Amino acid sequence: TAYFNNSGGLLQGWDLSSLRTGTGTVTRTLRFWTGDDSDSSIVVDDEGYLYVGVEVDRATNRGKEVGQMLKIDPRNPDNPVVWSVHTSDRVDDGVWTTPIIDGDVVFWTSKPGYIYAIDRASGTVLWTTRVNGPSLSSPVLIDGVLLQGDAAGILHAFDVADPHVPPAELWQLDIGANIESTPAVW
């Protein structure tokens, strides 16, 4: 099944398995309106749940109701929201970034620059910390260190070896220009 979202906030799932055999039809399995623009990539966990980020672009009532960080169960298309985290109802806010799953914690960054650690099962926010917004760069996790770029051109490194406690900042690197893309690390 392929999952995608669009700038209108329409989250869809399509069963593409018939394309392998050449028989049958492609079937939509999920159709859910998040209420607002959704540019970030969807992440699927090992249990098949989806993690979907939603911007606050038009500040619709639906977006205010649904939230900006969503855990979705595609097996329950009539009521797919497992949990949601609301970041803000302000226009030009919400989530532009792709989350990271590390064991039982989801790391996510909101546009104003807040980094969230969220309990994967319950949706409880474990902690937040902040970098300079607007934050369009998704976080990267390497060996217990979370890297996050910010709008001031600073690459931050946080110790998340124990993701359940607020992290210490290990270092900063000022590259002198806004970091919008997600760092690729080799």
PDB file of all heavy atoms in Angstrom, residues 1 6 12 20 28 49 53 62 68 72 91 93 95 101 103 124 156-157 159 166 176 178:
ATOM      1  N   THR A   1       0.848  -1.181   0.000  1.00  0.00           N
ATOM      2  CA  THR A   1       0.000   0.000   0.000  1.00  0.00           C
ATOM      3  C   THR A   1       0.890   1.240   0.000  1.00  0.00           C
ATOM      4  O   THR A   1       1.838   1.324   0.786  1.00  0.00           O
ATOM      5  CB  THR A   1      -0.928   0.013   1.235  1.00  0.00           C
ATOM      6  OG1 THR A   1      -1.715  -1.180   1.232  1.00  0.00           O
ATOM      7  CG2 THR A   1      -1.847   1.215   1.225  1.00  0.00           C
ATOM      8  N   ASN A   6      -1.483  15.522   0.464  1.00  0.00           N
ATOM      9  CA  ASN A   6      -1.320  16.615  -0.489  1.00  0.00           C
ATOM     10  C   ASN A   6      -1.515  17.966   0.171  1.00  0.00           C
ATOM     11  O   ASN A   6      -1.799  18.050   1.366  1.00  0.00           O
ATOM     12  CB  ASN A   6      -2.248  16.428  -1.697  1.00  0.00           C
ATOM     13  CG  ASN A   6      -3.717  16.562  -1.350  1.00  0.00           C
ATOM     14  OD1 ASN A   6      -4.104  17.177  -0.364  1.00  0.00           O
ATOM     15  ND2 ASN A   6      -4.563  15.987  -2.185  1.00  0.00           N
ATOM     16  N   GLN A  12      -4.208   9.687   1.727  1.00  0.00           N
ATOM     17  CA  GLN A  12      -4.763   8.544   1.016  1.00  0.00           C
ATOM     18  C   GLN A  12      -3.840   7.339   1.113  1.00  0.00           C
ATOM     19  O   GLN A  12      -2.620   7.491   1.201  1.00  0.00           O
ATOM     20  CB  GLN A  12      -4.963   8.867  -0.465  1.00  0.00           C
ATOM     21  CG  GLN A  12      -5.944   9.982  -0.711  1.00  0.00           C
ATOM     22  CD  GLN A  12      -6.189  10.177  -2.182  1.00  0.00           C
ATOM     23  OE1 GLN A  12      -6.674   9.273  -2.868  1.00  0.00           O
ATOM     24  NE2 GLN A  12      -5.844  11.358  -2.672  1.00  0.00           N
ATOM     25  N   ARG A  20       1.608  -5.933  -9.329  1.00  0.00           N
ATOM     26  CA  ARG A  20       2.661  -6.957  -9.423  1.00  0.00           C
ATOM     27  C   ARG A  20       2.229  -8.120 -10.307  1.00  0.00           C
ATOM     28  O   ARG A  20       3.038  -8.694 -11.023  1.00  0.00           O
ATOM     29  CB  ARG A  20       3.007  -7.502  -8.040  1.00  0.00           C
ATOM     30  CG  ARG A  20       3.849  -6.577  -7.218  1.00  0.00           C
ATOM     31  CD  ARG A  20       4.280  -7.265  -5.969  1.00  0.00           C
ATOM     32  NE  ARG A  20       3.075  -7.614  -5.204  1.00  0.00           N
ATOM     33  CZ  ARG A  20       2.979  -7.611  -3.896  1.00  0.00           C
ATOM     34  NH1 ARG A  20       4.020  -7.332  -3.175  1.00  0.00           N
ATOM     35  NH2 ARG A  20       1.859  -7.909  -3.302  1.00  0.00           N
ATOM     36  N   ARG A  28      -8.361   2.135  -3.398  1.00  0.00           N
ATOM     37  CA  ARG A  28      -8.079   3.065  -2.303  1.00  0.00           C
ATOM     38  C   ARG A  28      -8.522   2.412  -0.993  1.00  0.00           C
ATOM     39  O   ARG A  28      -9.651   1.941  -0.869  1.00  0.00           O
ATOM     40  CB  ARG A  28      -8.786   4.399  -2.497  1.00  0.00           C
ATOM     41  CG  ARG A  28      -8.416   5.365  -1.377  1.00  0.00           C
ATOM     42  CD  ARG A  28      -8.809   6.793  -1.593  1.00  0.00           C
ATOM     43  NE  ARG A  28     -10.168   6.943  -2.032  1.00  0.00           N
ATOM     44  CZ  ARG A  28     -10.622   8.023  -2.668  1.00  0.00           C
ATOM     45  NH1 ARG A  28      -9.816   9.005  -2.941  1.00  0.00           N
ATOM     46  NH2 ARG A  28     -11.869   8.104  -3.043  1.00  0.00           N
ATOM     47  N   TYR A  49       1.454   1.650  11.567  1.00  0.00           N
ATOM     48  CA  TYR A  49       0.841   2.950  11.850  1.00  0.00           C
ATOM     49  C   TYR A  49       1.558   4.040  11.056  1.00  0.00           C
ATOM     50  O   TYR A  49       2.754   3.943  10.788  1.00  0.00           O
ATOM     51  CB  TYR A  49       0.919   3.281  13.349  1.00  0.00           C
ATOM     52  CG  TYR A  49       0.050   2.390  14.197  1.00  0.00           C
ATOM     53  CD1 TYR A  49       0.599   1.304  14.865  1.00  0.00           C
ATOM     54  CD2 TYR A  49      -1.315   2.630  14.323  1.00  0.00           C
ATOM     55  CE1 TYR A  49      -0.196   0.470  15.646  1.00  0.00           C
ATOM     56  CE2 TYR A  49      -2.112   1.808  15.095  1.00  0.00           C
ATOM     57  CZ  TYR A  49      -1.537   0.735  15.760  1.00  0.00           C
ATOM     58  OH  TYR A  49      -2.331  -0.083  16.522  1.00  0.00           O
ATOM     59  N   GLY A  53       2.394  14.698   9.418  1.00  0.00           N
ATOM     60  CA  GLY A  53       2.508  16.089   9.847  1.00  0.00           C
ATOM     61  C   GLY A  53       1.551  16.969   9.072  1.00  0.00           C
ATOM     62  O   GLY A  53       1.319  16.769   7.881  1.00  0.00           O
ATOM     63  N   ARG A  62     -11.204  22.217  10.717  1.00  0.00           N
ATOM     64  CA  ARG A  62     -10.833  20.792  10.699  1.00  0.00           C
ATOM     65  C   ARG A  62      -9.390  20.607  11.176  1.00  0.00           C
ATOM     66  O   ARG A  62      -9.102  19.704  11.959  1.00  0.00           O
ATOM     67  CB  ARG A  62     -11.008  20.229   9.285  1.00  0.00           C
ATOM     68  CG  ARG A  62     -10.537  18.815   9.091  1.00  0.00           C
ATOM     69  CD  ARG A  62     -11.369  17.830   9.852  1.00  0.00           C
ATOM     70  NE  ARG A  62     -10.960  16.471   9.487  1.00  0.00           N
ATOM     71  CZ  ARG A  62     -11.541  15.405   9.919  1.00  0.00           C
ATOM     72  NH1 ARG A  62     -12.576  15.496  10.734  1.00  0.00           N
ATOM     73  NH2 ARG A  62     -11.123  14.227   9.550  1.00  0.00           N
ATOM     74  N   GLN A  68      -1.711  18.695  14.505  1.00  0.00           N
ATOM     75  CA  GLN A  68      -0.635  18.822  13.529  1.00  0.00           C
ATOM     76  C   GLN A  68       0.329  17.640  13.505  1.00  0.00           C
ATOM     77  O   GLN A  68       1.067  17.470  12.555  1.00  0.00           O
ATOM     78  CB  GLN A  68       0.150  20.117  13.792  1.00  0.00           C
ATOM     79  CG  GLN A  68      -0.634  21.374  13.452  1.00  0.00           C
ATOM     80  CD  GLN A  68      -1.750  21.653  14.442  1.00  0.00           C
ATOM     81  OE1 GLN A  68      -1.533  21.690  15.642  1.00  0.00           O
ATOM     82  NE2 GLN A  68      -2.951  21.839  13.935  1.00  0.00           N
ATOM     83  N   ILE A  72      -1.799   7.663  12.811  1.00  0.00           N
ATOM     84  CA  ILE A  72      -2.968   7.189  12.068  1.00  0.00           C
ATOM     85  C   ILE A  72      -2.920   5.669  11.967  1.00  0.00           C
ATOM     86  O   ILE A  72      -1.876   5.089  11.653  1.00  0.00           O
ATOM     87  CB  ILE A  72      -2.984   7.806  10.648  1.00  0.00           C
ATOM     88  CG1 ILE A  72      -3.069   9.340  10.709  1.00  0.00           C
ATOM     89  CG2 ILE A  72      -4.083   7.210   9.786  1.00  0.00           C
ATOM     90  CD1 ILE A  72      -4.382   9.891  11.198  1.00  0.00           C
ATOM     91  N   VAL A  91      -1.652  30.857  11.818  1.00  0.00           N
ATOM     92  CA  VAL A  91      -1.311  30.649  10.412  1.00  0.00           C
ATOM     93  C   VAL A  91       0.210  30.651  10.281  1.00  0.00           C
ATOM     94  O   VAL A  91       0.908  31.370  10.993  1.00  0.00           O
ATOM     95  CB  VAL A  91      -1.960  31.734   9.529  1.00  0.00           C
ATOM     96  CG1 VAL A  91      -1.461  31.661   8.100  1.00  0.00           C
ATOM     97  CG2 VAL A  91      -3.476  31.586   9.555  1.00  0.00           C
ATOM     98  N   ASP A  93       2.202  28.000  10.810  1.00  0.00           N
ATOM     99  CA  ASP A  93       2.714  27.246  11.954  1.00  0.00           C
ATOM    100  C   ASP A  93       2.511  25.768  11.638  1.00  0.00           C
ATOM    101  O   ASP A  93       2.340  25.387  10.492  1.00  0.00           O
ATOM    102  CB  ASP A  93       1.943  27.651  13.216  1.00  0.00           C
ATOM    103  CG  ASP A  93       2.702  27.368  14.501  1.00  0.00           C
ATOM    104  OD1 ASP A  93       3.493  26.399  14.524  1.00  0.00           O
ATOM    105  OD2 ASP A  93       2.479  28.084  15.486  1.00  0.00           O
ATOM    106  N   VAL A  95       3.473  21.756  11.243  1.00  0.00           N
ATOM    107  CA  VAL A  95       4.579  20.838  10.974  1.00  0.00           C
ATOM    108  C   VAL A  95       4.873  20.765   9.482  1.00  0.00           C
ATOM    109  O   VAL A  95       3.996  20.463   8.690  1.00  0.00           O
ATOM    110  CB  VAL A  95       4.244  19.427  11.515  1.00  0.00           C
ATOM    111  CG1 VAL A  95       5.309  18.429  11.138  1.00  0.00           C
ATOM    112  CG2 VAL A  95       4.058  19.472  13.016  1.00  0.00           C
ATOM    113  N   ILE A 101      11.256   7.855  14.188  1.00  0.00           N
ATOM    114  CA  ILE A 101      10.834   6.911  15.217  1.00  0.00           C
ATOM    115  C   ILE A 101      12.075   6.227  15.760  1.00  0.00           C
ATOM    116  O   ILE A 101      12.888   5.698  15.005  1.00  0.00           O
ATOM    117  CB  ILE A 101       9.864   5.862  14.642  1.00  0.00           C
ATOM    118  CG1 ILE A 101       8.609   6.550  14.105  1.00  0.00           C
ATOM    119  CG2 ILE A 101       9.517   4.816  15.699  1.00  0.00           C
ATOM    120  CD1 ILE A 101       7.718   5.648  13.302  1.00  0.00           C
ATOM    121  N   GLY A 103      12.535   3.481  18.691  1.00  0.00           N
ATOM    122  CA  GLY A 103      11.925   2.635  19.716  1.00  0.00           C
ATOM    123  C   GLY A 103      10.518   3.093  20.033  1.00  0.00           C
ATOM    124  O   GLY A 103       9.656   3.130  19.160  1.00  0.00           O
ATOM    125  N   THR A 124       1.703  11.100  24.384  1.00  0.00           N
ATOM    126  CA  THR A 124       2.096  12.038  25.424  1.00  0.00           C
ATOM    127  C   THR A 124       3.401  12.735  25.033  1.00  0.00           C
ATOM    128  O   THR A 124       4.357  12.070  24.629  1.00  0.00           O
ATOM    129  CB  THR A 124       2.296  11.308  26.769  1.00  0.00           C
ATOM    130  OG1 THR A 124       1.070  10.677  27.120  1.00  0.00           O
ATOM    131  CG2 THR A 124       2.724  12.263  27.867  1.00  0.00           C
ATOM    132  N   HIS A 156      22.437  21.864  15.325  1.00  0.00           N
ATOM    133  CA  HIS A 156      22.455  21.504  16.742  1.00  0.00           C
ATOM    134  C   HIS A 156      22.594  19.994  16.888  1.00  0.00           C
ATOM    135  O   HIS A 156      22.030  19.243  16.087  1.00  0.00           O
ATOM    136  CB  HIS A 156      21.147  21.911  17.424  1.00  0.00           C
ATOM    137  CG  HIS A 156      20.848  23.363  17.349  1.00  0.00           C
ATOM    138  ND1 HIS A 156      21.169  24.247  18.357  1.00  0.00           N
ATOM    139  CD2 HIS A 156      20.240  24.104  16.382  1.00  0.00           C
ATOM    140  CE1 HIS A 156      20.770  25.455  18.024  1.00  0.00           C
ATOM    141  NE2 HIS A 156      20.207  25.396  16.824  1.00  0.00           N
ATOM    142  N   ALA A 157      23.290  19.558  17.932  1.00  0.00           N
ATOM    143  CA  ALA A 157      23.385  18.143  18.278  1.00  0.00           C
ATOM    144  C   ALA A 157      22.916  17.980  19.719  1.00  0.00           C
ATOM    145  O   ALA A 157      23.438  18.629  20.633  1.00  0.00           O
ATOM    146  CB  ALA A 157      24.818  17.639  18.136  1.00  0.00           C
ATOM    147  N   ASP A 159      21.842  15.194  22.886  1.00  0.00           N
ATOM    148  CA  ASP A 159      22.017  13.845  23.424  1.00  0.00           C
ATOM    149  C   ASP A 159      20.643  13.262  23.747  1.00  0.00           C
ATOM    150  O   ASP A 159      19.998  13.671  24.707  1.00  0.00           O
ATOM    151  CB  ASP A 159      22.870  13.898  24.692  1.00  0.00           C
ATOM    152  CG  ASP A 159      23.089  12.531  25.319  1.00  0.00           C
ATOM    153  OD1 ASP A 159      22.536  11.524  24.817  1.00  0.00           O
ATOM    154  OD2 ASP A 159      23.805  12.465  26.332  1.00  0.00           O
ATOM    155  N   PRO A 166      14.603  15.297  28.969  1.00  0.00           N
ATOM    156  CA  PRO A 166      15.020  16.430  28.142  1.00  0.00           C
ATOM    157  C   PRO A 166      16.509  16.340  27.813  1.00  0.00           C
ATOM    158  O   PRO A 166      17.326  16.043  28.678  1.00  0.00           O
ATOM    159  CB  PRO A 166      14.712  17.642  29.031  1.00  0.00           C
ATOM    160  CG  PRO A 166      13.592  17.164  29.913  1.00  0.00           C
ATOM    161  CD  PRO A 166      13.895  15.709  30.178  1.00  0.00           C
ATOM    162  N   GLY A 176      26.328  29.676   9.059  1.00  0.00           N
ATOM    163  CA  GLY A 176      26.147  31.025   8.538  1.00  0.00           C
ATOM    164  C   GLY A 176      24.997  31.224   7.581  1.00  0.00           C
ATOM    165  O   GLY A 176      24.866  32.304   7.014  1.00  0.00           O
ATOM    166  N   ASN A 178      20.683  29.833   6.622  1.00  0.00           N
ATOM    167  CA  ASN A 178      19.496  29.053   6.945  1.00  0.00           C
ATOM    168  C   ASN A 178      19.641  27.600   6.481  1.00  0.00           C
ATOM    169  O   ASN A 178      20.069  27.340   5.361  1.00  0.00           O
ATOM    170  CB  ASN A 178      18.289  29.708   6.267  1.00  0.00           C
ATOM    171  CG  ASN A 178      16.985  29.011   6.555  1.00  0.00           C
ATOM    172  OD1 ASN A 178      16.885  28.157   7.420  1.00  0.00           O
ATOM    173  ND2 ASN A 178      15.966  29.391   5.809  1.00  0.00           N
TER     174      ASN A 178
END
